Amino acid sequence: MDMNDMERKEERSLNFLERIIEDDLANGRVPDNLIVTRFPPEPNGYLHIGHIKSICLNFGLAEKYGGRCHLRLDDTNPEKEEIEYIEAIQRDITWLGFDWGDHLYHASDYYDQLHRIAVNLIEEGMAYVDSLTAEQVKEYRGTLTTPGRNSPDRDRPIEENLRLFEEMRQGKHPEGSYVLRAKLDMASPNINMRDPALYRIKFASHPRTGDKWCIYPMYDFTHPISDAIEGITHSICTLEFEDHRPAYDWATSIDGIGHTPHQYEFARLNINYMLMSKRRLLNLVKLGIVSGWDDPRMPTITGIRRRGYSPESLKDFVARVGVAKVESVVDYNLLEFCAREDLNKRAKRVMVVLDPLKLVITNYPEGETEWFDAENNPEDPDAGTRKIPFSRELYIEREDFMEVPPKGYHRLYPGNEVRLKHAYYVTCTGVIKDAQGNVKEIHCTYDPQSRGGTTEDKRKVKGTSHWVSAAHAIEGEIRLYDKLFSAEYPGARTGNYLDDLNADSLVVVSTAKLEPSLKDARPGEYLQFIRNGYFMADSRDHAEGKPVFNRTVTLKDSWSKKAAKLE
Ligand code: ATP
Ligand code: MG
């Protein structure tokens, strides 16, 4: 941590969860003064940026207060859950830099205990087997403004409840024929307290317990009891669970549970132009709109990682967003801002020409190659230098030349002198065109005195261009990514988010000329293609002899901004 970070940390006031925890610690409300949190994803999809907020909160609070954070896979819905997701979740959290140590749990670890607790509840007359159909349950439940009605099965004798529940477990009854419900209060103003279901029948194979069970416990029963079994002190979740808190408190107060965690709710992270729901993201994958969960346009951790974001920039992003109790939408630009801030410090600068235009230096000896030392990162002297070849024929970016420049254009045009990054000053002396009149190549002379990018007379040039030596360049595929959705709130206009897909979210450039050092690039290495943005080798498709790079985020380009203003 450098000084700035430390100051920022100290200046930041405590968020509401930190205040609660410090108060609990100060007043002896935490057993052994050990804060225990958990991150409880349901393995029904890949984690997304929203989850990063919850991960940073849960693991971060445990870290800050010397406690621990459990990773618990909330695997009570066997039909939608897959081992692939379970593995991806662990990979993603580890990549973010968090460690659950020995504390990896599954809700399914507690199936036996949950079953025993359910049987006890029946024995004490606090739970009953209900034969109402799903529609009837709904009808009996009442509404927000009207109380519910008791099910005719509510007074079923204990012995019969025990027998039926056992038969449910043995698979003697079809799905939907019975549920086990807690006997709470059908007139409660909180609908979640109107005899919530505890168990349902589901003939589904579970990724971990196989075919052992054909009854599965419900979320409102499983989650609080799992928290209690693990000794969780602060159970942090998103606001939509606020209405479930009374059910949570009921479950953790069942006789014999023995530990009372508390639930606290915070506002989930929303970002404009993005969808953050596993169900919808799965739909994009299934429809083939993206190439998979790790498509670099996906807001999944695996997707943005492949796109080239660092864990640090994502943690910085959620720290800047902060923790609140009121829903809000964070601007996508903040995410890109954090990426640029971070990548500026760590990315290795290299030269890649995306849209090449040949530049011939007519007074430079034919067949000669000079090797320049190029600084890898002006922000980081320890990043060192690399060798780049220079020769008579180069490529520059087509947009870096104009035959008839508008006012304020400082790059190359006939008669103008510019600096070639790391190399020499060149002056444009001529333009060669093809039969259609398109500029095919430009001719320049160079000033041998300007080697390394300055001259003795300290003559000023306003433009600097990146370039690649034609004879040494390698070719590769460059994938320019943009937002997946073009509308700020996808689906708001028509009700269908597919109507707001951005047709230009991926532009593949196959003309690029890359400096030869890039043949050693590998996924995980942060790169800046000078003037073109931040990039990373693609973790799936990049291969020796067939480079593929993804654009993480653009740089702020002062020229295009200025051009936009002039329009
Ligand atoms: P989704 O709606 O995307 O499927 P979820 O809430 O169903 O998300 P879970 O796997 O149940 O996903 O989430 C694990 C944890 O992450 C929960 O505690 C949940 O509250 C939290 N979480 C999910 N989405 C967000 C979000 N956008 N911002 C902050 N926390 C989130
Ligand atoms: Mg969920």
Side-chain angles (χ1 to χ4, degrees):
M1 209 171 8
D2 66 21
M3 279 308 289
N4 281 344
D5 288 343
M6 266 158 77
E7 277 165 23
R8 204 188 317 150
K9 243 197 164 136
E10 267 168 22
E11 274 170 24
R12 193 170 66 85
S13 57
L14 298 181
N15 66 45
F16 80 95
L17 291 166
E18 291 166 332
R19 264 186 265 122
I20 288 169
I21 287 177
E22 295 197 2
D23 191 56
D24 286 348
L25 286 170
N27 291 292
R29 283 193 287 262
V30 182
D32 302 324
N33 266 13
L34 184 72
I35 299 296
V36 187
T37 58
R38 86 286 170 267
F39 174 63
E42 184 184 350
N44 61 346
Y46 281 66
L47 299 179
H48 51 62
I49 303 182
H51 291 112
I52 299 178
K53 181 168 178 181
S54 180
I55 293 168
C56 288
L57 254 183
N58 281 297
F59 282 93
L61 287 169
E63 223 163 67
K64 175 166 182 183
Y65 294 104
R68 59 170 202 257
C69 180
H70 298 181
L71 170 59
R72 184 193 316 138
L73 297 153
D74 185 6
D75 55 353
T76 52
N77 199 354
E79 284 164 335
K80 291 195 236 151
E81 292 157 7
E82 285 178 29
I83 297 291
E84 177 196 347
Y85 298 145
I86 294 180
E87 288 173 352
I89 287 168
Q90 298 186 43
R91 202 164 49 233
D92 290 346
I93 298 173
T94 303
W95 177 72
L96 283 173
F98 294 111
D99 183 8
W100 52 87
D102 296 330
H103 299 282
L104 170 65
Y105 304 103
H106 300 79
S108 56
D109 295 340
Y110 313 126
Y111 280 175
D112 286 319
Q113 274 155 288
L114 288 161
H115 179 254
R116 228 175 300 129
I117 293 167
V119 171
N120 283 343
L121 286 172
I122 299 172
E123 285 169 344
E124 310 211 328
M126 289 167 65
Y128 61 98
V129 173
D130 197 352
S131 62
L132 291 184
T133 62
E135 292 86 73
Q136 287 170 320
V137 167
K138 223 180 189 170
E139 188 199 320
Y140 276 72
R141 193 188 289 133
T143 65
L144 285 172
T145 49
T146 57
R149 283 180 292 140
N150 287 353
S151 161
D153 289 348
R154 205 171 196 259
D155 296 319
R156 196 192 289 283
I158 289 174
E159 287 313 310
E160 201 178 311
N161 281 324
L162 284 171
R163 177 177 57 78
L164 282 172
F165 188 52
E166 176 58 14
E167 287 174 7
M168 284 166 64
R169 190 189 67 77
Q170 290 171 353
K172 292 192 176 156
H173 300 288
E175 281 186 18
S177 57
Y178 292 111
V179 285
L180 181 72
R181 298 177 75 175
K183 202 184 277 190
L184 300 184
D185 177 7
M186 288 307 290
S188 169
N190 184 322
I191 288 187
N192 297 304
M193 294 299 276
R194 295 181 188 168
D195 290 8
L198 304 179
Y199 267 92
R200 71 207 145 138
I201 301 169
K202 204 146 238 193
F203 289 95
S205 226
H206 187 281
R208 299 189 77 243
T209 58
D211 295 322
K212 177 173 175 193
W213 297 92
C214 61
I215 52 172
Y216 289 96
M218 305 296 289
Y219 178 87
D220 271 348
F221 183 55
T222 313
H223 194 79
I225 292 175
S226 305
D227 279 353
I229 292 171
E230 291 176 20
I232 302 299
T233 56
H234 295 76
S235 181
I236 300 163
C237 59
T238 35
L239 283 176
E240 67 270 23
F241 292 102
E242 198 166 10
D243 290 344
H244 294 250
R245 195 177 343 123
Y248 186 96
D249 290 342
W250 166 76
T252 52
S253 65
I254 294 171
D255 272 356
I257 297 289
H259 169 83
T260 316
H262 291 277
Q263 174 180 304
Y264 302 94
E265 307 88 15
F266 69 97
R268 63 193 293 121
L269 174 63
N270 304 300
I271 304 175
N272 57 6
Y273 298 99
M274 278 191 171
L275 282 186
M276 234 130 34
S277 136
K278 281 179 282 184
R279 191 171 44 81
R280 287 173 170 183
L281 298 178
L282 174 64
N283 203 32
L284 296 176
V285 174
K286 278 191 174 156
L287 292 173
I289 287 164
V290 293
S291 61
W293 285 98
D294 68 348
D295 187 299
R297 292 165 294 180
M298 287 283 268
T300 52
I301 298 180
T302 176
I304 47 182
R305 171 185 185 176
R306 181 172 166 197
R307 177 129 165 200
Y309 276 77
S310 71
E312 290 78 8
S313 66
L314 295 165
K315 290 194 223 176
D316 178 41
F317 171 69
V318 297
R320 284 173 196 263
V321 168
V323 187
K325 279 208 74 106
V326 185
E327 291 276 351
S328 64
V329 179
V330 176
D331 197 333
Y332 186 94
N333 285 322
L334 180 62
L335 183 64
E336 294 207 326
F337 169 83
C338 292
R340 289 189 187 103
E341 284 267 299
D342 173 75
L343 292 170
N344 181 44
K345 281 182 253 156
R346 67 172 76 235
K348 176 179 171 185
R349 273 61 169 171
V350 291
M351 295 204 283
V352 172
V353 174
L354 296 180
D355 185 11
L357 174 63
K358 177 77 75 68
L359 183 154
V360 180
I361 303 171
T362 50
N363 61 340
Y364 193 85
E366 242 165 291
E368 189 164 316
T369 302
E370 265 180 279
W371 291 84
F372 285 97
D373 283 317
E375 193 178 26
N376 285 332
N377 186 351
E379 301 289 320
D380 176 10
D382 295 339
T385 60
R386 67 188 186 290
K387 296 275 185 205
I388 48 170
F390 184 86
S391 64
R392 179 183 161 94
E393 298 200 357
L394 313 172
Y395 292 110
I396 63 164
E397 212 72 67
R398 192 165 280 275
E399 65 165 29
D400 281 0
F401 172 80
M402 284 183 109
E403 199 177 7
V404 185
K407 204 166 174 293
Y409 186 83
H410 298 304
R411 311 239 172 97
L412 212 51
Y413 53 85
N416 194 37
E417 185 174 46
V418 299
R419 176 191 293 109
L420 293 176
K421 181 84 179 166
H422 302 303
Y424 290 107
Y425 286 11
V426 292
T427 303
C428 178
T429 54
V431 182
I432 313 289
K433 295 181 181 175
D434 65 14
Q436 286 79 45
N438 302 312
V439 176
K440 212 175 69 175
E441 92 185 29
I442 49 179
H443 286 184
C444 292
T445 54
Y446 84 117
D447 174 6
Q449 303 295 317
S450 64
R451 194 174 200 283
T454 46
T455 54
E456 246 167 53
D457 62 6
K458 298 256 166 25
R459 176 166 95 238
K460 287 247 163 62
V461 290
K462 281 194 170 159
T464 300
S465 282
H466 60 287
W467 52 273
V468 177
S469 165
H472 303 86
I474 60 173
E475 296 186 344
E477 179 176 317
I478 312 292
R479 299 174 180 170
L480 303 178
Y481 291 107
D482 201 348
K483 297 183 180 85
L484 187 54
F485 293 98
S486 52
E488 190 165 1
Y489 302 103
R493 205 167 31 93
T494 63
N496 182 356
Y497 53 87
L498 298 179
D499 293 336
D500 290 320
L501 285 166
N502 174 10
D504 301 319
S505 62
L506 169 58
V507 174
V508 177
V509 175
S510 50
T511 50
K513 303 286 182 182
L514 290 64
E515 70 165 68
S517 77
L518 280 168
K519 67 179 185 305
D520 300 323
R522 45 175 181 75
E525 186 181 11
Y526 301 98
L527 299 169
Q528 184 194 97
F529 292 1
I530 290 177
R531 292 234 339 275
N532 280 321
Y534 292 101
F535 287 79
M536 183 180 280
D538 186 65
S539 55
R540 252 185 209 283
D541 303 330
H542 179 81
E544 209 176 322
K546 186 189 167 288
V548 179
F549 291 92
N550 298 326
R551 184 172 68 195
T552 314
V553 62
T554 55
L555 302 169
K556 273 180 206 147
D557 182 345
S558 61
W559 168 252
S560 62
K561 253 196 186 163
K562 216 158 125 194
K565 259 192 212 152
L566 289 173
E567 271 173 13

